[in-house]
Amino acid sequence: MTALSWDGSAPPSGLVETSRTVEAGGLVVRVTAVGSEVPPVVRVVQDAGVVVVEADGERLRIEWQLPCTGAAAYWTPNTNSRWLPPSWARPRETSVAKGAPVGSLIGAGDRALCTFALGELVRPVTIGEGAVEETGRFAWWAEHDGPTLSLRLDLSGRHFADTLADVSTWWEASLPARPPVPDLAYLPVFCTWYALHLAMTHTDVERLAALAAPLGFRSLIVDDGWQTDERTRSYATTGDWQPAPEAFPDFGAHVKRIQQLGLAYLLWHAIPFAGDRSAAAQRLAGHTLAHLPQLETHVLDPRSPGVRAHLVDRLAAAVEQHGVDGLKIDFIDTFARPADTASPEADRPTVAEGVSELLAALDIRLRATTPQVLVEHRQDYVSAGLWPYATMVRAADCPHNVVENRVRTVDLRLTAGPLAVHADPLTWHPDESPEQIAVLLQSVLFSTAQVSVDLAAQRPEQLAALRFWLGVMTEHRGLLQRGELRPHRPELAYPMIEARSRRQLAFGRYAPLPLRAAGEWDLLLVANSDPDTLVRIEFDRPPGRVELLVQDCLGGEVARAQTPVDGTELAVRVPTGGLLTLTRAE
């Protein structure tokens, strides 16, 4: 067990350590060469409140601290509690398969006291971070094997979302150019998981698809269940990736019928798994990282070229043989685990590098057949090192959890770079009210909506709420999903979120708070999720004559007027689950 860090320092390595300290933006940064008597070579570049520290060496550690004054929240991309962790908390490890080496200490007014990021996007990095009880300081340390460690510190005091956006730009500059994400990745998705779980046949899927298309869905994800006729929550049959013979007797024809409805077809694969009852587990015995008895599956070792070849062939078959439009690639983060065994033919030094090689080979193979292929990844594998191999990234499973889905999708947006961000599929009880269905959709307003319910069991008013809000999200996807995102109060689960694109502005209102509409705008949208229906907007300048439209959760018109707003405040009644649209009059 790793020794606890009471003072915010890294645990002792037991090796020779040679350190060098440098000044960086008013902070003292210590860089240590672990296992070397030669001090590391360190370079520091400073510009407008941002410092980049680079060091060379075989194994490197970097440490820094600052006073924990005014700190209100600590942000990391894995959607933590947002409370300040103690310095003795267990360090986190990031790699291409799990997490991302970034964090932000946030103070009052959503101001970043310190946002850090590391440049290593593939190999493992160990990160310690937390408040030191004895000193009242916040301490960080990060360590990984060389040859270079790059640390970016943003001490500019700007809104934390702006500092994280700059981190994404910094990472992207180090990655190879990639094709743009297709617009289809930003359009609503129907997923089979919560609606059907494993109890699916081609008839069930086609029935739901026929109901989904007229509602505004443009893609269908067929989740776990297509590869097995079993109905238990087990992964024992994963790894062969052949359609279930009874449930899907003619898979290619089934895919074409879905596509003829106007839906793109994505197919689920749990990429690391070779189930206990699969042929793959027998053929690849000895080329695994671990056995997970509770899931009845082995985790394959991506360092093995034979494993990589098997997985590329089987996943590519979905596109090449069955004609699907893309893949939902699940459980990549399961690769990020201590290896119980190792493949004797491993040709990559780390599992993370094997994962990177696997996904790069798969990407080449998929794009050779389908250049606009859709590939979904999921929290917690959110490293920028995965950006070249995906088109969208989805919030981790949080069924029925309106707040968590909101927080997770926003967290993903902050460092998703070029990828479209998707919600965990929304699901609800058959008796759910239309207002609450609208609130569920509003909770993921700034991402691509996924939904997974039995559409045939919905009442007309439930379908009306779904249709209306999918339409709003589709029409304004440039603003909502690609605009400049500004979430507020992370320590309170983002009770207000805004997005801006040119002269368009949108708010998600999740608590009875006033909204502040700054700057010039021609279109202003407010989605009201709170039971308090009095929406108050404060302007930094009188907007003049505006056209006002209030709609309820079904899209029905509640109020419409053209009215002058000569002051800097406006109060409008907007029903829960409703939409306020303000348009500047000519």
Side-chain angles (χ1 to χ4, degrees):
M1 177 179 175
T2 303
L4 296 177
S5 173
W6 301 109
D7 61 358
S9 62
S13 65
L15 303 173
V16 174
E17 297 187 356
T18 311
S19 299
R20 173 170 288 162
T21 59
V22 296
E23 191 278 335
L27 301 181
V28 175
V29 176
R30 182 170 64 182
V31 185
T32 301
V34 180
S36 173
E37 296 181 353
V38 179
V41 176
V42 182
R43 300 171 295 279
V44 180
V45 177
Q46 305 186 47
D47 181 40
V50 176
V51 184
V52 176
V53 181
E54 291 188 344
D56 299 328
E58 291 301 315
R59 179 175 167 188
L60 295 161
R61 181 192 308 131
I62 193 163
E63 301 168 83
W64 69 103
Q65 297 187 6
L66 55 75
C68 197
T69 54
Y74 190 66
W75 184 94
T76 64
N78 60 335
T79 308
N80 59 6
S81 67
R82 296 294 180 260
W83 300 331
L84 304 189
S87 62
W88 41 264
R90 175 178 292 185
R92 60 184 167 114
E93 184 170 286
T94 72
S95 70
V96 75
K98 186 173 183 179
V102 60
S104 183
L105 183 65
I106 304 168
D110 300 324
R111 183 173 65 90
L113 304 178
C114 177
T115 294
F116 88 91
L118 298 167
E120 177 56 66
L121 303 178
V122 175
R123 291 173 299 178
V125 178
T126 304
I127 300 169
E129 55 216 330
V132 181
E133 297 177 16
E134 287 82 356
T135 65
R137 297 172 68 83
F138 201 91
W140 290 265
W141 60 267
E143 184 173 319
H144 75 80
D145 292 336
T148 300
L149 183 151
S150 297
L151 168 69
R152 186 182 194 275
L153 294 174
D154 193 319
L155 305 169
S156 64
R158 296 174 296 148
H159 192 284
F160 80 98
D162 297 338
T163 67
L164 291 170
D166 286 352
V167 166
S168 293
T169 301
W170 183 63
W171 282 335
E172 194 165 14
S174 68
L175 297 172
R178 49 156 293 130
V181 171
D183 189 57
L184 187 58
Y186 296 91
L187 297 174
V189 177
F190 188 85
C191 177
T192 63
W193 178 240
Y194 296 132
L196 296 173
H197 290 98
L198 278 77
M200 69 166 75
T201 67
H202 69 94
T203 302
D204 299 319
V205 174
E206 290 167 26
R207 172 180 57 86
L208 287 172
L211 295 170
L215 293 171
F217 293 100
R218 291 296 173 261
S219 295
L220 172 77
I221 293 177
V222 173
D223 213 294
D224 189 0
W226 67 273
Q227 81 292 347
T228 179
D229 285 317
E230 296 185 9
R231 295 295 179 257
T232 60
R233 291 280 195 96
S234 166
Y235 295 100
T237 59
T238 57
D240 298 332
W241 304 119
Q242 300 281 1
E246 295 181 18
F248 295 91
D250 189 341
F251 203 80
H254 156 71
V255 170
K256 287 181 180 178
R257 288 192 291 271
I258 299 292
Q259 292 167 334
Q260 288 168 356
L261 295 170
L263 297 173
Y265 196 116
L266 284 78
L267 198 57
W268 173 85
H269 291 75
I271 191 170
F273 292 168
D276 291 356
R277 295 193 293 278
S278 70
Q282 299 179 32
R283 188 163 67 84
L284 296 172
H287 302 282
T288 63
L289 296 173
H291 180 249
L292 307 180
Q294 71 275 25
L295 300 182
E296 299 183 272
T297 188
H298 300 268
V299 179
L300 295 172
D301 187 348
R303 293 172 294 183
S304 162
V307 166
R308 296 196 300 270
H310 165 79
L311 292 174
V312 169
D313 282 344
R314 293 316 314 142
L315 270 68
V319 173
E320 297 168 350
Q321 298 177 21
H322 305 309
V324 307
D325 302 287
L327 304 178
K328 172 180 177 175
I329 301 181
D330 214 349
F331 291 107
I332 290 175
D333 49 342
T334 308
F335 284 126
R337 57 177 301 108
D340 297 334
T341 58
S343 169
E345 61 174 24
D347 64 353
R348 294 294 181 270
T350 66
V351 172
E353 288 166 289
V355 170
S356 188
E357 179 75 14
L358 165 63
L359 296 176
L362 177 61
D363 181 71
I364 292 171
R365 182 81 170 263
L366 294 175
R367 292 187 186 278
T369 300
T370 307
Q372 294 287 299
V373 68
L374 298 170
V375 176
E376 182 195 272
H377 289 175
R378 173 180 53 77
Q379 221 180 10
D380 179 35
Y381 38 101
V382 294
S383 169
L386 293 175
W387 291 353
Y389 316 129
T391 52
M392 53 266 210
V393 57
R394 177 180 64 80
D397 296 15
C398 49
H400 298 277
N401 197 322
V402 61
V403 175
E404 188 173 2
N405 220 344
R406 177 174 80 235
V407 174
R408 287 187 176 279
T409 51
V410 169
D411 287 346
L412 287 173
R413 279 287 307 274
L414 292 172
T415 54
L419 305 185
V421 168
H422 284 218
D424 185 52
L426 301 173
T427 188
W428 53 83
H429 189 274
D431 293 334
E432 189 60 89
S433 69
E435 290 81 6
Q436 186 60 24
I437 292 171
V439 167
L440 286 167
L441 288 155
Q442 290 173 334
S443 72
V444 298
L445 186 66
F446 301 92
S447 64
T448 301
Q450 290 197 20
V451 175
S452 187
V453 294
D454 183 356
L455 295 173
Q458 304 301 301
R459 303 188 304 276
E461 59 271 24
Q462 293 173 311
L463 293 176
L466 179 58
R467 184 184 297 107
F468 171 61
W469 276 103
L470 290 182
V472 171
M473 298 169 81
T474 297
E475 179 183 357
H476 298 289
R477 61 188 180 279
L479 167 61
L480 299 173
Q481 297 188 54
R482 303 179 191 179
E484 176 186 336
L485 188 70
R486 186 64 66 87
H488 297 279
R489 304 298 300 272
E491 74 278 18
L492 299 178
Y494 305 130
M496 181 174 65
I497 304 168
E498 64 178 298
R500 180 182 292 275
S501 178
R502 298 185 178 90
R503 294 175 66 91
Q504 297 181 340
L505 188 60
F507 288 94
R509 179 180 183 264
Y510 309 103
L513 298 173
L515 310 176
R516 295 178 174 87
E520 296 288 345
W521 53 270
D522 295 324
L523 174 70
L524 192 155
L525 305 176
V526 179
N528 181 39
S529 286
D530 195 77
D532 171 40
T533 61
L534 185 61
V535 173
R536 293 159 293 162
I537 307 174
E538 300 173 357
F539 306 99
D540 62 351
R541 66 201 72 177
R545 185 169 292 276
V546 299
E547 295 181 0
L548 178 152
L549 173 63
V550 177
Q551 293 168 280
D552 62 20
C553 66
L554 307 180
E557 184 176 311
V558 175
R560 181 188 293 268
Q562 188 174 101
T563 182
V565 183
D566 299 324
T568 56
E569 293 186 0
L570 177 67
V572 183
R573 290 286 181 184
V574 181
T576 303
L579 175 67
L580 168 64
T581 303
L582 296 180
T583 306
R584 291 283 294 274
E586 294 293 337

Short mmCIF file of all heavy atoms in Angstrom, two decimals, residues 6 9 53 141 169 184 188 305 363 387 445 458 472 570 574:
data_model
loop_
_atom_site.label_atom_id
_atom_site.label_comp_id
_atom_site.label_asym_id
_atom_site.label_seq_id
_atom_site.Cartn_x
_atom_site.Cartn_y
_atom_site.Cartn_z
N TRP A 6 0.82 13.21 4.20
CA TRP A 6 0.20 14.16 5.12
C TRP A 6 0.54 15.61 4.75
O TRP A 6 -0.23 16.52 5.05
CB TRP A 6 0.65 13.88 6.55
CG TRP A 6 0.29 12.49 7.01
CD1 TRP A 6 1.14 11.46 7.22
CD2 TRP A 6 -1.01 12.00 7.30
NE1 TRP A 6 0.46 10.34 7.62
CE2 TRP A 6 -0.88 10.64 7.68
CE3 TRP A 6 -2.30 12.56 7.27
CZ2 TRP A 6 -1.96 9.84 8.03
CZ3 TRP A 6 -3.37 11.76 7.63
CH2 TRP A 6 -3.20 10.42 8.01
N SER A 9 3.29 15.96 -0.20
CA SER A 9 4.41 15.51 -1.02
C SER A 9 4.14 14.10 -1.54
O SER A 9 3.27 13.38 -1.03
CB SER A 9 5.70 15.53 -0.21
OG SER A 9 5.60 14.64 0.89
N VAL A 53 6.14 24.32 -17.82
CA VAL A 53 7.40 23.79 -17.30
C VAL A 53 7.66 22.47 -17.99
O VAL A 53 6.79 21.58 -18.00
CB VAL A 53 7.33 23.59 -15.77
CG1 VAL A 53 8.65 23.05 -15.25
CG2 VAL A 53 6.96 24.89 -15.07
N TRP A 141 1.27 16.92 -6.89
CA TRP A 141 2.46 16.29 -7.44
C TRP A 141 2.04 15.35 -8.55
O TRP A 141 0.92 14.82 -8.56
CB TRP A 141 3.28 15.55 -6.37
CG TRP A 141 2.58 14.43 -5.65
CD1 TRP A 141 1.90 14.51 -4.49
CD2 TRP A 141 2.50 13.05 -6.07
NE1 TRP A 141 1.39 13.28 -4.13
CE2 TRP A 141 1.75 12.37 -5.09
CE3 TRP A 141 3.00 12.34 -7.16
CZ2 TRP A 141 1.48 11.00 -5.18
CZ3 TRP A 141 2.73 10.97 -7.26
CH2 TRP A 141 1.99 10.32 -6.27
N THR A 169 -7.10 23.15 -26.24
CA THR A 169 -6.36 23.68 -27.39
C THR A 169 -4.89 23.30 -27.32
O THR A 169 -4.27 22.95 -28.34
CB THR A 169 -6.51 25.21 -27.43
OG1 THR A 169 -7.90 25.55 -27.52
CG2 THR A 169 -5.77 25.80 -28.62
N LEU A 184 -23.81 14.48 -37.91
CA LEU A 184 -24.70 13.44 -37.40
C LEU A 184 -24.40 13.12 -35.93
O LEU A 184 -25.30 12.72 -35.18
CB LEU A 184 -24.56 12.17 -38.26
CG LEU A 184 -25.52 11.02 -37.99
CD1 LEU A 184 -26.97 11.46 -38.15
CD2 LEU A 184 -25.22 9.86 -38.94
N PRO A 188 -29.94 13.74 -32.19
CA PRO A 188 -30.44 12.83 -31.15
C PRO A 188 -30.30 11.36 -31.49
O PRO A 188 -30.43 10.94 -32.65
CB PRO A 188 -31.92 13.25 -31.04
CG PRO A 188 -31.95 14.67 -31.47
CD PRO A 188 -30.93 14.78 -32.56
N PRO A 305 0.18 -8.47 -30.16
CA PRO A 305 -0.27 -8.23 -31.53
C PRO A 305 -1.39 -9.17 -31.95
O PRO A 305 -2.26 -8.80 -32.76
CB PRO A 305 0.99 -8.43 -32.37
CG PRO A 305 1.93 -9.20 -31.50
CD PRO A 305 1.61 -8.83 -30.09
N ASP A 363 -9.09 2.35 -36.09
CA ASP A 363 -9.55 3.55 -36.78
C ASP A 363 -9.20 3.49 -38.27
O ASP A 363 -10.04 3.81 -39.12
CB ASP A 363 -8.91 4.78 -36.13
CG ASP A 363 -9.35 6.07 -36.76
OD1 ASP A 363 -10.51 6.46 -36.57
OD2 ASP A 363 -8.54 6.70 -37.47
N TRP A 387 -8.85 11.27 -28.83
CA TRP A 387 -9.62 12.09 -29.76
C TRP A 387 -9.50 11.64 -31.22
O TRP A 387 -10.50 11.66 -31.93
CB TRP A 387 -9.18 13.56 -29.64
CG TRP A 387 -9.56 14.21 -28.36
CD1 TRP A 387 -10.35 13.70 -27.36
CD2 TRP A 387 -9.15 15.50 -27.90
NE1 TRP A 387 -10.46 14.59 -26.32
CE2 TRP A 387 -9.74 15.70 -26.62
CE3 TRP A 387 -8.35 16.50 -28.44
CZ2 TRP A 387 -9.54 16.87 -25.89
CZ3 TRP A 387 -8.15 17.67 -27.71
CH2 TRP A 387 -8.74 17.85 -26.47
N LEU A 445 -29.17 19.75 -21.98
CA LEU A 445 -29.42 20.68 -23.07
C LEU A 445 -28.17 21.00 -23.87
O LEU A 445 -28.25 21.28 -25.07
CB LEU A 445 -30.01 21.97 -22.49
CG LEU A 445 -30.49 23.04 -23.47
CD1 LEU A 445 -31.68 22.56 -24.27
CD2 LEU A 445 -30.84 24.33 -22.71
N GLN A 458 -45.49 5.08 -24.34
CA GLN A 458 -45.62 6.49 -23.96
C GLN A 458 -46.99 7.04 -24.35
O GLN A 458 -47.52 6.74 -25.42
CB GLN A 458 -44.53 7.32 -24.66
CG GLN A 458 -43.12 6.84 -24.39
CD GLN A 458 -42.77 6.85 -22.91
OE1 GLN A 458 -42.83 7.89 -22.25
NE2 GLN A 458 -42.41 5.68 -22.39
N VAL A 472 -35.97 21.38 -30.38
CA VAL A 472 -35.22 22.55 -29.93
C VAL A 472 -33.71 22.26 -29.95
O VAL A 472 -32.90 23.07 -30.43
CB VAL A 472 -35.66 22.95 -28.51
CG1 VAL A 472 -34.74 24.03 -27.93
CG2 VAL A 472 -37.10 23.45 -28.52
N LEU A 570 -35.70 42.09 -16.73
CA LEU A 570 -36.95 41.56 -17.31
C LEU A 570 -37.34 40.34 -16.48
O LEU A 570 -36.50 39.49 -16.17
CB LEU A 570 -36.75 41.16 -18.77
CG LEU A 570 -37.94 40.51 -19.47
CD1 LEU A 570 -39.09 41.52 -19.63
CD2 LEU A 570 -37.54 39.95 -20.83
N VAL A 574 -42.26 31.49 -16.84
CA VAL A 574 -41.97 30.40 -17.77
C VAL A 574 -42.27 29.09 -17.05
O VAL A 574 -41.69 28.81 -16.00
CB VAL A 574 -40.50 30.41 -18.24
CG1 VAL A 574 -40.24 29.28 -19.23
CG2 VAL A 574 -40.14 31.77 -18.86
#
